[in-house]
Amino acid sequence: AAVATDVHHLLAAIPPLVQAQRYGTVRRTDAEAVGRVVDGMVARSAAGLVVACASLDDEAAGEAAGSIRDADRAVGLLASARHLVPWRAALRSLSASATVHGLVCGRAARLLLDASALTAEEAARLVGMALSPGEEPARAGAWVEGFLSGSGLVLVHDDQLWGVIDRWVSLLPEDRFTEVLPLLRRTFGTFGAPERRALGERAAAGGAAG
């Protein structure tokens, strides 16, 4: 992977190399040498991330979203501005891209929000763009899946984001709603029971703030 040009291979290599750099290995690998490799791989991954994620099908998008999440955790462990600045700039470009699969864009936006690198207002703006009336419902549903998958707490606690998604679902024509429903069901199925219950109560109350 150190000489590879495929960004997805680079992303997959970053987490184990960061582990080796931080905690060492049974072979007592030179951490400084590993660090130099990591520096180059993070920079190359950030530079090529948007292009590498263009034109992915559903399966490839799911794999890319997982690799980006794992690489983001690893870059966060490094806690260095020289890694975080280009990496988060790449995630910002990815989150706002119109040519990348919605699942990947939504995941990038959520990673930024969780890292406090994106404000709630900025996140709501991105969600609103992704769920605009002219957007293909399948892509919009994939964006929501990427953004929310694994945790619904952001919807439980953020009135603005709740309102954006609530309006989008409410305004979908019946045939489009049926098309998007499996994606939404899969996404909400990843939430814990308390989160689902809280969201159900909020929906039953007509979207009123908790």
Side-chain angles (χ1 to χ4, degrees):
V3 295
T5 56
D6 188 311
V7 170
H8 299 290
H9 290 168
L10 297 177
L11 291 174
I14 288 172
L17 285 174
V18 169
Q19 290 291 320
Q21 179 185 358
R22 283 177 60 84
Y23 306 115
T25 69
V26 293
R27 297 183 179 87
R28 297 183 180 179
T29 305
D30 183 349
E32 185 176 342
V34 173
R36 290 195 294 271
V37 175
V38 169
D39 290 347
M41 294 176 85
V42 171
R44 290 160 59 199
S45 297
L49 192 59
V50 176
V51 173
C53 291
S55 305
L56 299 178
D57 60 21
D58 291 346
E59 182 178 355
E63 293 173 357
S67 296
I68 290 168
R69 176 200 61 212
D70 294 343
D72 182 75
R73 290 173 180 166
V75 172
L77 282 175
L78 294 171
S80 167
R82 73 175 184 275
H83 301 113
L84 289 171
V85 170
W87 175 253
R88 288 178 177 167
L91 290 182
R92 276 185 173 273
S93 297
L94 198 60
S95 67
S97 174
T99 61
V100 173
H101 196 287
L103 181 69
V104 177
C105 295
R107 182 62 54 83
R110 181 58 183 270
L111 291 173
L112 289 169
L113 181 65
D114 287 348
S116 299
L118 197 69
T119 66
E121 291 74 19
E122 289 174 316
R125 181 181 60 81
L126 285 173
V127 174
M129 289 171 55
L131 306 185
S132 62
E135 191 64 70
E136 177 63 32
R139 185 180 190 278
W143 205 102
V144 172
E145 181 180 7
F147 186 73
L148 294 178
S149 185
S151 173
L153 284 177
V154 67
L155 280 187
V156 173
H157 297 298
D158 193 299
D159 295 340
Q160 192 172 11
L161 288 173
W162 169 269
V164 172
I165 293 180
D166 181 52
R167 284 193 298 275
W168 173 67
V169 173
S170 300
L171 294 174
L172 281 171
E174 184 176 350
D175 60 329
R176 296 296 196 176
F177 177 79
T178 304
E179 179 184 347
V180 171
L181 184 58
L183 283 172
L184 296 178
R185 183 178 179 87
R186 184 170 65 198
T187 300
F188 279 71
T190 66
F191 300 165
E195 292 176 325
R196 293 200 304 271
R197 183 164 55 251
L199 290 171
E201 291 170 352
R202 189 166 195 179

